[in-house]
Coordinates of all heavy atoms in Angstrom, one line a residue:
M1228 N -154.8 -173.1 75.9 CA -153.4 -173.4 76.0 C -152.7 -172.4 77.0 O -153.1 -171.2 77.0 CB -152.8 -173.3 74.6 CG -151.4 -173.9 74.6 SD -150.8 -174.1 72.8 CE -150.0 -172.5 72.6
A1229 N -151.8 -172.9 77.8 CA -151.2 -172.1 78.8 C -150.2 -171.0 78.1 O -149.7 -171.3 77.0 CB -150.3 -172.9 79.7
K1230 N -150.1 -169.9 78.7 CA -149.2 -168.9 78.2 C -147.8 -169.3 78.5 O -147.5 -170.0 79.4 CB -149.5 -167.5 78.9 CG -150.8 -166.9 78.7 CD -150.9 -165.6 79.3 CE -151.2 -165.6 80.8 NZ -151.5 -164.3 81.4
P1231 N -146.8 -168.7 77.7 CA -145.4 -168.9 78.0 C -145.2 -168.3 79.4 O -145.8 -167.3 79.8 CB -144.7 -168.2 76.9 CG -145.6 -168.0 75.8 CD -147.0 -168.0 76.4
M1232 N -144.2 -168.9 80.1 CA -144.0 -168.5 81.5 C -143.7 -167.1 81.7 O -144.0 -166.4 82.7 CB -142.9 -169.4 82.1 CG -143.3 -170.8 82.4 SD -144.7 -170.9 83.6 CE -143.9 -170.3 85.1
D1233 N -142.9 -166.5 80.7 CA -142.5 -165.1 80.9 C -143.6 -164.1 80.6 O -143.5 -162.9 80.7 CB -141.3 -164.8 80.0 CG -141.6 -165.0 78.5 OD1 -142.7 -165.5 78.2 OD2 -140.8 -164.6 77.7
Q1234 N -144.9 -164.6 80.3 CA -146.0 -163.7 80.1 C -146.9 -163.7 81.3 O -147.9 -163.0 81.3 CB -146.7 -164.1 78.9 CG -145.9 -163.8 77.6 CD -146.6 -164.2 76.3 OE1 -147.8 -164.4 76.3 NE2 -145.9 -164.3 75.2
Y1235 N -146.6 -164.4 82.4 CA -147.4 -164.4 83.6 C -147.0 -163.2 84.5 O -145.8 -162.9 84.5 CB -147.2 -165.7 84.4 CG -148.0 -166.8 83.8 CD1 -147.5 -167.6 82.8 CD2 -149.3 -167.1 84.2 CE1 -148.2 -168.7 82.3 CE2 -150.1 -168.1 83.7 CZ -149.5 -168.9 82.7 OH -150.2 -170.0 82.2
K1236 N -147.9 -162.6 85.1 CA -147.5 -161.6 86.2 C -147.1 -162.4 87.4 O -147.5 -163.6 87.6 CB -148.7 -160.7 86.6 CG -149.3 -160.0 85.4 CD -148.4 -158.9 85.0 CE -149.1 -158.1 83.9 NZ -148.2 -157.2 83.1
W1237 N -146.3 -161.8 88.3 CA -145.8 -162.6 89.4 C -147.0 -163.1 90.3 O -146.9 -164.2 90.8 CB -144.9 -161.7 90.3 CG -145.6 -160.5 91.0 CD1 -145.7 -159.3 90.5 CD2 -146.2 -160.6 92.3 NE1 -146.4 -158.5 91.4 CE2 -146.8 -159.3 92.5 CE3 -146.4 -161.5 93.2 CZ2 -147.5 -158.9 93.7 CZ3 -147.1 -161.2 94.4 CH2 -147.6 -159.9 94.6
H1238 N -148.1 -162.4 90.4 CA -149.2 -162.8 91.3 C -150.0 -163.9 90.6 O -150.9 -164.5 91.3 CB -150.1 -161.6 91.7 CG -150.6 -160.8 90.5 ND1 -151.7 -161.2 89.8 CD2 -150.2 -159.7 90.0 CE1 -151.9 -160.3 88.8 NE2 -151.0 -159.4 88.9
E1239 N -149.8 -164.2 89.4 CA -150.5 -165.3 88.7 C -149.8 -166.6 88.8 O -150.3 -167.7 88.5 CB -150.6 -165.0 87.2 CG -151.5 -163.8 86.9 CD -151.5 -163.4 85.4 OE1 -150.5 -163.5 84.8 OE2 -152.6 -163.0 85.0
L1240 N -148.5 -166.6 89.3 CA -147.7 -167.8 89.4 C -148.2 -168.6 90.6 O -148.5 -168.1 91.7 CB -146.2 -167.5 89.5 CG -145.6 -166.8 88.3 CD1 -144.2 -166.4 88.6 CD2 -145.6 -167.8 87.1
N1241 N -148.2 -169.9 90.5 CA -148.5 -170.8 91.6 C -147.3 -170.8 92.6 O -146.1 -170.7 92.2 CB -148.7 -172.2 91.2 CG -149.9 -172.3 90.3 OD1 -150.9 -171.7 90.6 ND2 -149.9 -173.2 89.3
V1242 N -147.6 -170.9 93.9 CA -146.5 -171.0 94.8 C -145.7 -172.3 94.5 O -146.2 -173.3 94.3 CB -147.1 -171.1 96.3 CG1 -146.0 -171.3 97.3 CG2 -147.9 -169.8 96.6
G1243 N -144.4 -172.1 94.5 CA -143.5 -173.2 94.2 C -143.6 -173.8 92.8 O -143.4 -174.9 92.6
C1244 N -143.9 -172.9 91.9 CA -144.1 -173.4 90.5 C -142.8 -173.9 89.9 O -141.7 -173.4 90.3 CB -144.7 -172.3 89.6 SG -143.6 -171.1 89.1
V1245 N -142.9 -174.8 89.0 CA -141.7 -175.3 88.3 C -141.7 -174.8 86.9 O -142.7 -174.9 86.2 CB -141.7 -176.9 88.4 CG1 -140.6 -177.4 87.5 CG2 -141.6 -177.3 89.8
I1246 N -140.6 -174.3 86.4 CA -140.5 -173.9 85.0 C -140.3 -175.2 84.2 O -139.4 -176.0 84.4 CB -139.2 -173.0 84.8 CG1 -139.2 -171.9 85.8 CG2 -139.1 -172.6 83.4 CD1 -140.2 -170.8 85.6
E1247 N -141.2 -175.4 83.2 CA -141.3 -176.6 82.5 C -140.1 -176.9 81.6 O -139.6 -178.0 81.5 CB -142.5 -176.7 81.6 CG -143.8 -176.7 82.4 CD -144.4 -175.3 82.6 OE1 -143.7 -174.3 82.1 OE2 -145.4 -175.1 83.2
E1248 N -139.6 -175.9 80.9 CA -138.6 -176.1 79.9 C -137.2 -176.1 80.5 O -136.7 -175.0 80.9 CB -138.7 -175.1 78.8 CG -140.0 -175.1 78.1 CD -140.2 -173.9 77.2 OE1 -139.3 -173.6 76.4 OE2 -141.2 -173.2 77.4
V1249 N -136.6 -177.2 80.6 CA -135.2 -177.2 81.2 C -134.2 -176.5 80.2 O -134.3 -176.6 79.0 CB -134.8 -178.7 81.3 CG1 -133.3 -178.8 81.8 CG2 -135.7 -179.4 82.2
G1250 N -133.3 -175.7 80.8 CA -132.3 -175.0 80.0 C -132.7 -173.7 79.4 O -132.1 -173.2 78.5
N1251 N -133.9 -173.2 79.9 CA -134.3 -171.9 79.3 C -134.0 -170.7 80.2 O -134.5 -169.6 79.9 CB -135.8 -172.0 79.1 CG -136.6 -172.0 80.3 OD1 -136.1 -172.2 81.4 ND2 -138.0 -171.8 80.2
A1252 N -133.0 -170.8 81.1 CA -132.7 -169.7 82.0 C -132.3 -168.5 81.3 O -132.5 -167.4 81.7 CB -131.7 -170.2 83.0
S1253 N -131.6 -168.7 80.1 CA -131.1 -167.5 79.4 C -132.2 -166.6 78.9 O -132.0 -165.5 78.5 CB -130.1 -168.0 78.3 OG -130.9 -168.7 77.4
E1254 N -133.4 -167.2 78.8 CA -134.5 -166.4 78.2 C -135.1 -165.4 79.3 O -135.8 -164.5 78.9 CB -135.6 -167.3 77.7 CG -135.2 -168.2 76.6 CD -136.2 -169.2 76.2 OE1 -137.4 -169.0 76.6 OE2 -135.9 -170.3 75.7
Y1255 N -134.7 -165.6 80.5 CA -135.3 -164.8 81.6 C -134.3 -163.6 81.9 O -133.2 -163.9 82.4 CB -135.6 -165.6 82.8 CG -136.7 -166.6 82.5 CD1 -136.4 -167.8 82.1 CD2 -138.0 -166.1 82.7 CE1 -137.5 -168.7 81.8 CE2 -139.1 -167.0 82.4 CZ -138.8 -168.3 81.9 OH -139.8 -169.1 81.6
L1256 N -134.6 -162.4 81.5 CA -133.7 -161.3 81.6 C -133.8 -160.8 83.1 O -134.5 -159.8 83.4 CB -134.1 -160.2 80.6 CG -134.0 -160.7 79.2 CD1 -134.3 -159.6 78.2 CD2 -132.7 -161.4 78.8
T1257 N -133.1 -161.4 84.0 CA -133.2 -161.1 85.4 C -132.6 -159.8 85.7 O -132.8 -159.3 86.8 CB -132.5 -162.2 86.2 OG1 -131.2 -162.5 85.6 CG2 -133.3 -163.5 86.2
G1258 N -131.9 -159.2 84.8 CA -131.4 -157.8 85.0 C -132.5 -156.8 85.1 O -132.3 -155.7 85.6
D1259 N -133.7 -157.2 84.7 CA -134.9 -156.2 84.8 C -135.2 -156.0 86.3 O -135.9 -155.0 86.6 CB -136.1 -156.8 84.2 CG -136.0 -156.8 82.7 OD1 -135.1 -156.2 82.1 OD2 -136.9 -157.4 82.0
W1260 N -134.7 -156.8 87.2 CA -135.0 -156.6 88.6 C -134.1 -155.6 89.3 O -134.3 -155.2 90.4 CB -134.8 -157.9 89.4 CG -135.5 -159.1 88.9 CD1 -136.5 -159.1 87.9 CD2 -135.3 -160.5 89.2 NE1 -136.9 -160.4 87.6 CE2 -136.2 -161.3 88.4 CE3 -134.5 -161.1 90.1 CZ2 -136.3 -162.6 88.5 CZ3 -134.6 -162.5 90.2 CH2 -135.5 -163.3 89.4
R1261 N -133.0 -155.2 88.6 CA -132.0 -154.4 89.2 C -132.4 -153.0 89.5 O -133.1 -152.3 88.8 CB -130.8 -154.4 88.2 CG -129.5 -153.9 88.7 CD -128.4 -154.0 87.6 NE -128.8 -153.3 86.4 CZ -129.1 -153.8 85.2 NH1 -129.0 -155.1 85.0 NH2 -129.5 -153.1 84.2
S1262 N -131.9 -152.5 90.7 CA -132.1 -151.1 91.0 C -130.8 -150.3 90.9 O -130.8 -149.1 90.9 CB -132.7 -150.9 92.4 OG -131.9 -151.5 93.4
S1263 N -129.6 -151.0 90.9 CA -128.4 -150.3 90.7 C -127.5 -151.3 89.9 O -127.7 -152.5 89.8 CB -127.7 -150.0 92.1 OG -127.4 -151.2 92.8
K1264 N -126.5 -150.7 89.3 CA -125.6 -151.5 88.4 C -124.2 -151.2 88.7 O -123.8 -150.1 89.1 CB -126.0 -151.1 86.9 CG -125.6 -149.7 86.5 CD -126.0 -149.4 85.1 CE -125.7 -147.9 84.8 NZ -126.2 -147.6 83.4
P1265 N -123.3 -152.2 88.4 CA -121.9 -152.0 88.6 C -121.3 -151.2 87.4 O -121.6 -151.5 86.2 CB -121.3 -153.4 88.6 CG -122.3 -154.2 87.8 CD -123.7 -153.5 88.0
V1266 N -120.4 -150.3 87.7 CA -119.7 -149.6 86.7 C -118.2 -149.8 86.9 O -117.7 -149.6 88.0 CB -120.0 -148.1 86.7 CG1 -119.2 -147.3 85.7 CG2 -121.5 -147.9 86.4
W1267 N -117.5 -150.2 85.9 CA -116.1 -150.6 86.0 C -115.2 -149.4 85.7 O -115.5 -148.7 84.7 CB -115.7 -151.7 85.1 CG -115.8 -153.1 85.7 CD1 -114.8 -153.9 86.1 CD2 -117.0 -153.9 85.9 NE1 -115.3 -155.1 86.6 CE2 -116.6 -155.1 86.5 CE3 -118.4 -153.6 85.7 CZ2 -117.5 -156.1 86.8 CZ3 -119.3 -154.6 86.1 CH2 -118.9 -155.8 86.6
N1268 N -114.1 -149.2 86.4 CA -113.1 -148.2 86.1 C -111.8 -149.0 85.8 O -111.1 -149.5 86.7 CB -112.9 -147.3 87.4 CG -111.8 -146.3 87.1 OD1 -111.0 -146.4 86.1 ND2 -111.7 -145.3 88.0
D1269 N -111.6 -149.2 84.5 CA -110.5 -150.0 84.1 C -109.1 -149.5 84.6 O -108.2 -150.3 84.7 CB -110.5 -150.2 82.6 CG -111.6 -151.0 82.1 OD1 -112.3 -151.6 82.9 OD2 -111.9 -151.0 80.8
S1270 N -109.0 -148.2 84.8 CA -107.7 -147.7 85.3 C -107.3 -148.2 86.6 O -106.1 -148.2 87.0 CB -107.7 -146.2 85.2 OG -108.5 -145.6 86.2
K1271 N -108.3 -148.7 87.4 CA -108.0 -149.2 88.8 C -107.9 -150.8 88.7 O -107.5 -151.4 89.7 CB -109.0 -148.8 89.8 CG -109.0 -147.3 90.1 CD -110.1 -147.1 91.2 CE -110.0 -145.6 91.7 NZ -111.1 -145.4 92.7
C1272 N -108.3 -151.4 87.7 CA -108.4 -152.8 87.6 C -107.1 -153.5 87.4 O -106.3 -153.1 86.6 CB -109.4 -153.2 86.4 SG -109.5 -155.0 86.2
I1273 N -106.8 -154.5 88.2 CA -105.6 -155.3 88.1 C -105.8 -156.7 87.4 O -104.9 -157.5 87.5 CB -104.9 -155.5 89.5 CG1 -105.9 -156.3 90.5 CG2 -104.5 -154.2 90.1 CD1 -105.3 -156.7 91.8
K1274 N -107.0 -156.8 86.9 CA -107.3 -158.0 86.1 C -107.2 -159.3 86.9 O -106.8 -160.3 86.4 CB -106.5 -158.1 84.8 CG -106.7 -157.0 83.9 CD -105.9 -157.1 82.6 CE -106.1 -156.0 81.7 NZ -105.2 -156.0 80.4
C1275 N -107.6 -159.2 88.2 CA -107.5 -160.4 89.1 C -108.6 -161.4 88.8 O -108.5 -162.6 89.1 CB -107.5 -160.0 90.5 SG -109.1 -159.3 91.1
G1276 N -109.7 -161.0 88.3 CA -110.8 -161.8 87.9 C -111.7 -162.2 89.1 O -112.7 -163.0 89.0
L1277 N -111.5 -161.6 90.3 CA -112.4 -161.9 91.4 C -113.9 -161.5 91.2 O -114.8 -162.2 91.7 CB -111.9 -161.3 92.7 CG -110.6 -161.9 93.3 CD1 -110.2 -161.2 94.5 CD2 -110.8 -163.4 93.6
C1278 N -114.1 -160.4 90.5 CA -115.5 -160.0 90.2 C -116.2 -161.1 89.4 O -117.3 -161.5 89.6 CB -115.5 -158.7 89.4 SG -114.4 -158.6 88.0
W1279 N -115.4 -161.7 88.4 CA -116.0 -162.8 87.6 C -116.3 -164.0 88.5 O -117.3 -164.7 88.4 CB -115.0 -163.1 86.5 CG -115.3 -164.4 85.8 CD1 -116.2 -164.5 84.7 CD2 -114.7 -165.7 86.0 NE1 -116.2 -165.8 84.3 CE2 -115.3 -166.5 85.0 CE3 -113.7 -166.1 86.9 CZ2 -114.9 -167.9 85.0 CZ3 -113.4 -167.5 86.8 CH2 -114.0 -168.3 85.9
L1280 N -115.3 -164.3 89.4 CA -115.4 -165.5 90.2 C -116.6 -165.4 91.2 O -117.3 -166.4 91.4 CB -114.1 -165.7 91.0 CG -113.9 -166.9 91.8 CD1 -113.9 -168.1 90.9 CD2 -112.7 -166.8 92.7
Y1281 N -116.8 -164.2 91.8 CA -117.8 -164.1 92.8 C -119.2 -163.8 92.3 O -120.2 -163.9 93.1 CB -117.4 -163.0 93.8 CG -116.4 -163.5 94.9 CD1 -115.0 -163.3 94.7 CD2 -116.8 -164.2 96.0 CE1 -114.1 -163.8 95.7 CE2 -116.0 -164.7 96.9 CZ -114.6 -164.5 96.8 OH -113.7 -165.0 97.7
C1282 N -119.4 -163.3 91.1 CA -120.7 -163.0 90.6 C -121.6 -164.2 90.7 O -121.4 -165.2 90.0 CB -120.7 -162.5 89.2 SG -122.3 -162.1 88.6
P1283 N -122.7 -164.1 91.5 CA -123.6 -165.3 91.7 C -124.4 -165.6 90.5 O -125.0 -166.6 90.4 CB -124.4 -164.9 92.9 CG -124.4 -163.4 92.9 CD -123.1 -163.0 92.4
D1284 N -124.5 -164.6 89.5 CA -125.3 -164.8 88.3 C -124.5 -165.0 87.1 O -125.1 -165.0 86.0 CB -126.2 -163.6 88.2 CG -127.3 -163.6 89.3 OD1 -128.2 -164.4 89.2 OD2 -127.2 -162.7 90.1
A1285 N -123.2 -165.2 87.2 CA -122.4 -165.4 86.1 C -122.6 -164.3 85.0 O -122.6 -164.6 83.8 CB -122.6 -166.8 85.4
A1286 N -122.8 -163.1 85.5 CA -123.1 -162.0 84.6 C -121.8 -161.2 84.2 O -121.8 -160.5 83.3 CB -124.0 -161.0 85.3
V1287 N -120.7 -161.5 85.0 CA -119.4 -160.8 84.7 C -118.7 -161.6 83.6 O -118.7 -162.8 83.6 CB -118.6 -160.7 85.9 CG1 -117.2 -160.1 85.6 CG2 -119.3 -159.8 87.0
F1288 N -118.1 -160.9 82.6 CA -117.3 -161.5 81.6 C -116.1 -160.7 81.3 O -116.1 -159.5 81.6 CB -118.2 -161.8 80.4 CG -118.6 -160.6 79.6 CD1 -117.9 -160.1 78.6 CD2 -119.8 -160.0 80.0 CE1 -118.3 -158.9 77.9 CE2 -120.2 -158.8 79.3 CZ -119.5 -158.3 78.3
R1289 N -115.1 -161.4 80.8 CA -113.8 -160.7 80.4 C -113.9 -160.2 79.0 O -114.3 -161.0 78.1 CB -112.7 -161.7 80.6 CG -111.3 -161.0 80.7 CD -110.3 -162.0 81.1 NE -109.9 -162.8 79.9 CZ -108.7 -162.9 79.3 NH1 -107.8 -162.2 79.8 NH2 -108.6 -163.6 78.3
K1290 N -113.6 -159.0 78.8 CA -113.6 -158.4 77.4 C -112.3 -158.8 76.7 O -111.4 -159.3 77.3 CB -113.7 -156.9 77.5 CG -115.0 -156.4 78.3 CD -115.1 -154.9 78.3 CE -114.0 -154.3 79.2 NZ -114.1 -152.8 79.3
D1291 N -112.3 -158.5 75.4 CA -111.1 -158.8 74.6 C -109.8 -158.2 75.1 O -108.7 -158.7 74.9 CB -111.3 -158.4 73.1 CG -112.4 -159.3 72.5 OD1 -112.6 -160.4 73.0 OD2 -112.9 -158.9 71.4
D1292 N -109.9 -157.0 75.8 CA -108.8 -156.3 76.3 C -108.3 -156.8 77.6 O -107.4 -156.3 78.2 CB -109.0 -154.8 76.3 CG -110.2 -154.4 77.2 OD1 -110.7 -155.3 77.9 OD2 -110.5 -153.2 77.2
G1293 N -109.0 -157.8 78.2 CA -108.6 -158.4 79.4 C -109.3 -157.8 80.6 O -109.2 -158.3 81.7
F1294 N -110.0 -156.7 80.5 CA -110.7 -156.1 81.6 C -112.1 -156.7 81.6 O -112.5 -157.5 80.7 CB -110.8 -154.6 81.4 CG -109.5 -153.8 81.5 CD1 -108.9 -153.3 80.4 CD2 -108.9 -153.7 82.8 CE1 -107.7 -152.7 80.5 CE2 -107.7 -153.0 82.9 CZ -107.1 -152.5 81.8
F1295 N -112.8 -156.4 82.7 CA -114.1 -157.1 82.9 C -115.3 -156.1 82.9 O -115.1 -154.9 83.1 CB -114.0 -157.8 84.3 CG -113.1 -159.0 84.3 CD1 -111.7 -158.8 84.5 CD2 -113.6 -160.3 84.2 CE1 -110.9 -159.9 84.5 CE2 -112.7 -161.3 84.2 CZ -111.4 -161.1 84.4
T1296 N -116.4 -156.7 82.7 CA -117.6 -155.9 82.7 C -118.8 -156.9 82.9 O -118.5 -158.1 83.1 CB -117.9 -155.1 81.4 OG1 -118.9 -154.1 81.6 CG2 -118.2 -156.0 80.2
S1297 N -120.0 -156.4 83.0 CA -121.1 -157.3 83.2 C -122.1 -157.3 82.1 O -122.3 -156.2 81.4 CB -121.8 -157.0 84.6 OG -122.4 -155.7 84.5
N1298 N -122.8 -158.4 82.0 CA -124.0 -158.4 81.0 C -125.2 -157.9 81.8 O -125.7 -158.6 82.7 CB -124.1 -159.9 80.5 CG -125.3 -160.0 79.5 OD1 -126.2 -159.1 79.5 ND2 -125.2 -161.0 78.7
L1299 N -125.6 -156.7 81.5 CA -126.7 -156.1 82.2 C -128.1 -156.8 82.0 O -129.1 -156.5 82.6 CB -126.8 -154.6 81.9 CG -125.6 -153.9 82.5 CD1 -125.7 -152.4 82.1 CD2 -125.4 -154.0 84.0
N1300 N -128.1 -157.7 81.0 CA -129.4 -158.5 80.8 C -129.6 -159.4 82.0 O -130.7 -159.8 82.3 CB -129.3 -159.3 79.6 CG -129.6 -158.5 78.3 OD1 -130.2 -157.5 78.4 ND2 -129.0 -158.9 77.2
Y1301 N -128.5 -159.8 82.7 CA -128.6 -160.8 83.8 C -128.1 -160.3 85.1 O -128.3 -160.9 86.1 CB -127.9 -162.1 83.4 CG -128.4 -162.6 82.1 CD1 -127.6 -162.5 80.9 CD2 -129.6 -163.2 82.0 CE1 -128.1 -163.0 79.7 CE2 -130.1 -163.6 80.8 CZ -129.4 -163.5 79.6 OH -129.9 -164.0 78.5
C1302 N -127.3 -159.2 85.1 CA -126.8 -158.6 86.4 C -128.0 -158.1 87.2 O -128.8 -157.3 86.8 CB -125.9 -157.5 86.1 SG -125.5 -156.4 87.6
K1303 N -128.1 -158.6 88.5 CA -129.2 -158.2 89.4 C -128.8 -157.0 90.3 O -129.6 -156.6 91.1 CB -129.7 -159.4 90.2 CG -130.3 -160.5 89.4 CD -130.7 -161.6 90.3 CE -131.1 -162.8 89.5 NZ -131.0 -164.1 90.2
G1304 N -127.6 -156.6 90.2 CA -127.2 -155.4 91.0 C -127.0 -155.7 92.4 O -127.1 -154.8 93.3
C1305 N -126.5 -156.9 92.7 CA -126.3 -157.3 94.1 C -125.2 -156.6 94.8 O -125.1 -156.5 96.0 CB -126.2 -158.8 94.2 SG -124.6 -159.4 93.5
G1306 N -124.2 -156.2 94.0 CA -123.0 -155.5 94.5 C -121.9 -156.3 95.0 O -120.9 -155.8 95.5
I1307 N -122.0 -157.6 94.9 CA -120.9 -158.5 95.4 C -119.6 -158.2 94.6 O -118.6 -158.2 95.2 CB -121.4 -160.0 95.3 CG1 -122.5 -160.3 96.2 CG2 -120.2 -160.9 95.5 CD1 -123.1 -161.6 96.1
C1308 N -119.7 -158.0 93.3 CA -118.5 -157.8 92.6 C -117.8 -156.5 93.1 O -116.5 -156.6 93.3 CB -118.8 -157.6 91.1 SG -120.1 -156.4 90.7
A1309 N -118.5 -155.5 93.4 CA -117.9 -154.3 93.9 C -117.3 -154.5 95.3 O -116.3 -154.0 95.6 CB -119.0 -153.1 93.9
K1310 N -118.0 -155.3 96.1 CA -117.5 -155.6 97.5 C -116.2 -156.4 97.4 O -115.3 -156.2 98.2 CB -118.6 -156.4 98.2 CG -118.3 -156.8 99.6 CD -118.8 -156.0 100.6 CE -118.6 -156.5 102.0 NZ -118.6 -155.5 103.0
E1311 N -116.1 -157.3 96.5 CA -114.9 -158.2 96.4 C -113.8 -157.6 95.6 O -112.7 -158.1 95.7 CB -115.3 -159.5 95.7 CG -116.3 -160.3 96.5 CD -115.8 -160.7 97.9 OE1 -114.6 -160.8 98.1 OE2 -116.6 -160.8 98.9
C1312 N -114.0 -156.5 94.9 CA -112.9 -155.9 94.1 C -112.0 -155.0 95.1 O -112.4 -153.9 95.5 CB -113.5 -155.0 93.0 SG -112.3 -154.1 92.1
K1313 N -110.9 -155.6 95.4 CA -110.0 -154.9 96.4 C -109.5 -153.6 95.9 O -109.4 -152.6 96.7 CB -108.9 -155.8 96.9 CG -109.4 -157.1 97.5 CD -110.4 -156.9 98.6 CE -111.0 -158.2 99.1 NZ -112.3 -158.1 99.6
P1314 N -109.1 -153.4 94.7 CA -108.6 -152.1 94.2 C -109.7 -151.0 94.1 O -109.4 -149.9 93.8 CB -108.0 -152.4 92.8 CG -107.8 -153.8 92.8 CD -108.9 -154.4 93.6
G1315 N -111.0 -151.4 94.3 CA -112.1 -150.4 94.1 C -112.3 -150.0 92.7 O -112.7 -148.8 92.5
A1316 N -112.2 -150.9 91.8 CA -112.4 -150.6 90.4 C -113.9 -150.6 90.0 O -114.2 -150.3 88.9 CB -111.6 -151.6 89.5
I1317 N -114.8 -151.1 90.9 CA -116.2 -151.2 90.6 C -117.0 -150.4 91.5 O -116.9 -150.4 92.7 CB -116.7 -152.7 90.7 CG1 -115.8 -153.6 89.8 CG2 -118.1 -152.8 90.2 CD1 -116.1 -155.1 90.0
S1318 N -117.9 -149.5 90.9 CA -118.8 -148.7 91.7 C -120.2 -149.1 91.4 O -120.5 -149.4 90.3 CB -118.6 -147.2 91.4 OG -117.3 -146.8 91.6
M1319 N -121.1 -149.2 92.4 CA -122.5 -149.4 92.2 C -123.2 -148.1 92.0 O -123.1 -147.2 92.8 CB -123.1 -150.2 93.4 CG -122.5 -151.6 93.6 SD -122.6 -152.7 92.1 CE -124.4 -152.9 91.9
V1320 N -123.9 -148.0 90.9 CA -124.5 -146.7 90.5 C -126.0 -147.0 90.4 O -126.5 -148.0 89.8 CB -124.0 -146.2 89.2 CG1 -124.8 -145.0 88.7 CG2 -122.5 -145.9 89.3
E1321 N -126.8 -146.1 91.0 CA -128.3 -146.3 91.0 C -128.8 -146.2 89.5 O -128.4 -145.3 88.8 CB -129.0 -145.2 91.8 CG -130.4 -145.6 92.2 CD -130.9 -144.7 93.3 OE1 -130.2 -144.3 94.2 OE2 -132.1 -144.3 93.2
E1322 N -129.7 -147.1 89.2 CA -130.3 -147.1 87.9 C -131.2 -145.8 87.7 O -131.9 -145.4 88.7 CB -131.2 -148.3 87.6 CG -130.4 -149.6 87.4 CD -129.8 -149.7 86.0 OE1 -130.0 -148.8 85.2 OE2 -129.2 -150.7 85.8
E1323 N -131.2 -145.2 86.5 CA -132.1 -144.2 86.2 C -133.5 -144.7 85.8 O -133.5 -145.8 85.2 CB -131.6 -143.3 85.1 CG -130.3 -142.5 85.5 CD -129.8 -141.7 84.4 OE1 -130.5 -141.5 83.4 OE2 -128.6 -141.3 84.5
R1324 N -134.5 -144.1 86.2 CA -135.9 -144.5 85.9 C -136.5 -143.7 84.8 O -136.2 -142.5 84.7 CB -136.8 -144.6 87.1 CG -136.3 -145.5 88.2 CD -136.5 -147.0 87.7 NE -135.9 -147.9 88.6 CZ -135.6 -149.2 88.2 NH1 -135.9 -149.6 87.1 NH2 -135.0 -149.9 89.1
Ligands
SF4_2714 S1 -112.2 -157.7 90.9 FE1 -111.7 -155.6 90.4 S2 -109.5 -155.6 90.0 FE2 -110.2 -157.7 89.9 S3 -110.7 -158.1 87.7 FE3 -112.6 -157.4 88.7 S4 -112.7 -155.2 88.4 FE4 -110.6 -155.8 88.0
SF4_2715 S1 -123.8 -156.6 90.8 FE1 -124.0 -158.8 91.4 S2 -125.0 -159.8 89.6 FE2 -124.2 -157.8 88.9 S3 -122.2 -158.3 88.0 FE3 -121.9 -157.7 90.2 S4 -121.9 -159.6 91.3 FE4 -122.8 -160.0 89.3

């Protein structure tokens, strides 16, 4: 029987492989690929929501207090949110190893 997809090493995957189970994207913790992470400074945030709008991984979410942060299980550290944040409320910080 085949192993679940998340138990394969990258070099064991077929080129152009298709994930069989539709709708299982949430099981893949793509944040593991990240080398830097966004850090929010709420004192600079104007709650415009552009970080949420531009995040290509839908990793940014609005907290109960109206400020934003990211779900690090899925944030890949691309830095787009920090680039689009005009007040400079987001800094990209290198991950510790
Ligand atoms: S883009 Fe910047 S200012 Fe706008 S909500 Fe996000 S963190 Fe706040
Ligand atoms: S660094 Fe990239 S993936 Fe992570 S929250 Fe910002 S825009 Fe989204």
Side-chain angles (χ1 to χ4, degrees):
M1228 194 167 89
K1230 295 187 281 191
M1232 287 301 293
D1233 62 351
Q1234 292 180 16
Y1235 282 89
K1236 304 288 185 198
W1237 67 268
H1238 54 81
E1239 296 175 322
L1240 296 172
N1241 294 325
V1242 175
C1244 77
V1245 173
I1246 308 291
E1247 297 92 358
E1248 300 169 51
V1249 176
N1251 68 349
S1253 63
E1254 296 173 23
Y1255 294 90
L1256 302 183
T1257 48
D1259 289 350
W1260 307 349
R1261 193 178 56 248
S1262 62
S1263 61
K1264 65 182 176 186
V1266 174
W1267 268 257
N1268 179 348
D1269 290 348
S1270 68
K1271 290 185 176 178
C1272 176
I1273 59 172
K1274 299 181 177 177
C1275 66
L1277 287 180
C1278 51
W1279 170 81
L1280 187 66
Y1281 278 98
C1282 176
D1284 290 291
V1287 175
F1288 65 94
R1289 199 171 75 117
K1290 300 181 291 184
D1291 289 343
D1292 60 8
F1294 292 106
F1295 291 78
T1296 191
S1297 64
N1298 182 336
L1299 294 178
N1300 283 333
Y1301 304 107
C1302 166
K1303 294 179 189 156
C1305 67
I1307 291 174
C1308 54
K1310 176 100 175 156
E1311 296 300 331
C1312 177
K1313 300 311 175 210
I1317 307 171
S1318 304
M1319 296 304 295
V1320 176
E1321 198 167 322
E1322 287 281 3
E1323 293 179 15
R1324 294 289 170 200

